[in-house]
Amino acid sequence: MAIADAQSPDKFPTIDQCESSGRENHTVVADLDGTLLIGSSSFPYFALVAFEAGGILRLLFLLLVSPIAAILYYFISEAAGIRVLIFATFAGMKVSDIESVARAVLPKFYTSDLHPETWRVFSSCGKRCVLTANPRIMVEASLKDYLGADMVFGTEISIWRGRATGLVNGPGVLVGRNKAEALQKAFDAASAPEIGFGDRKTDFPFMKLCKESYVVPKKRKVQPVSHDQLPKPIVFHDGRLVQKPSPLMALLTILWIPVGFPLACLRVAAGALLPMPLVYYAFRALGVRVNIKGIPPPPAQKSTGQTGVLFVCSHRTLLDPIFLSTALGRPIPAVTYSLSRLSEIIAPIKTVRLNRDRIKDAKMIKNLLEEGDLAICPEGTTCREPFLLRFSALFAELTDHLVPVAMNNRMSMFHGTTARGWKGLDPFYFFMNPSPVYEVTFLNKLPQELTCGAGKSSHDVANYIQRMIASTLSYECTSFTRKDKYTALAGNDGTVSDKPAIAAKNILGC
């Protein structure tokens, strides 16, 4: 083991020489960017806050001042560069919006960039501490909730009447000696941390206070830690951006939106106005791919007294029933737990809201099945990750004609779902992707002996269908519900309200 006092700062051993076994009673202190994370730039995370809480104009402002921040950071003062990023991102922004993005959006991106060598030791220690120049309000939720950090020290931003001023509180940006002083306040000399990790010279002052100190060298190709090695899986996350916005990606996003939004309107119009048998070909011509697998059942014959089939779909976006109808070549009505008024207006199929009243909802679904086929997403809300939420069992009690449908999609730029924003923009964000893909897989109709009509309980039927779809998609079944998702991401129960007055904020800025 290397003792910091016996080492020159320029000769700290590298992280790969640090033992991870027997660390259960040890304290580790690590820098964030370039140390605990592979990436050494904090710009993408500031950009995420700028876009998700401030809109595209805020992101544009941040991108314009980023060259100034870079010059200051690399050639004059690391602290000055960070101050510029903080001002451009946070000035005038509601603190509640910053906290919301930090809780619902950033964890997915932070946990996707963990350095494997640092995490190997960091995760093995009994007490974990992070020192970072980034604003504490931006990083604390991710580090504590998903990476098991016990203490997080970061730059404190100035707040006035619930809004960030863009300035920082004393002692200023947490770099160099400020990091060392923060560590000294948290630990006295008798209880100095056993391990310190850093990646740059401004980390050396706090590293020398630790009993052992290691440098994380910069390497060109490092594979981040896989999500199955995290102490807590990322099941729910929010935000519109699919990729981490590097300066280049942020620029491409800004340049694409003036092109992508009219394209999205055209795609929405094609789906809403054209006859359903033509929608598949229109989507294909407009760059939207619909991949169909399996053999769908024929439409119900009313003349023979046959009731409709209930298509039981996994839920990826509110467009699931529309792409189901596109795959079938005929409009399939859908029941939904919540839908914005705008989405109802532009939908090319009949949509019926459930009342969350079991008796009323059951009667409504039975009446719709008597008219023909019907689609339902029993998860009650969308999930972006490879997990299926708990299936509500009500549908299984109402018919034995059940066809499971595995829905999946791929987006390269924007997510077509939101928990914090206005859902009326969900279809537009999905169709703003350059070439979105939807996969519709029809599974075999549920055998009669596995339905409630054969004596099975509705919960057994629902769980069986959940497992069928999960197996098809290689997803994992969970018992999480709609309430769990919205409590975690938005602090509410997921009830949709119409907010046309603030809709433009999500696309055009604050």
Side-chain angles (χ1 to χ4, degrees), residues 316-336:
R316 304 307 284 177
T317 74
L318 59 80
L319 297 172
D320 292 333
I322 295 173
F323 280 98
L324 172 68
S325 300
T326 302
L328 291 168
R330 63 181 191 272
I332 304 296
V335 291
T336 177

Side-chain angles (χ1 to χ4, degrees), residues 30 165 186 196 284 294 299 308 380:
T165 64
R284 191 173 186 86

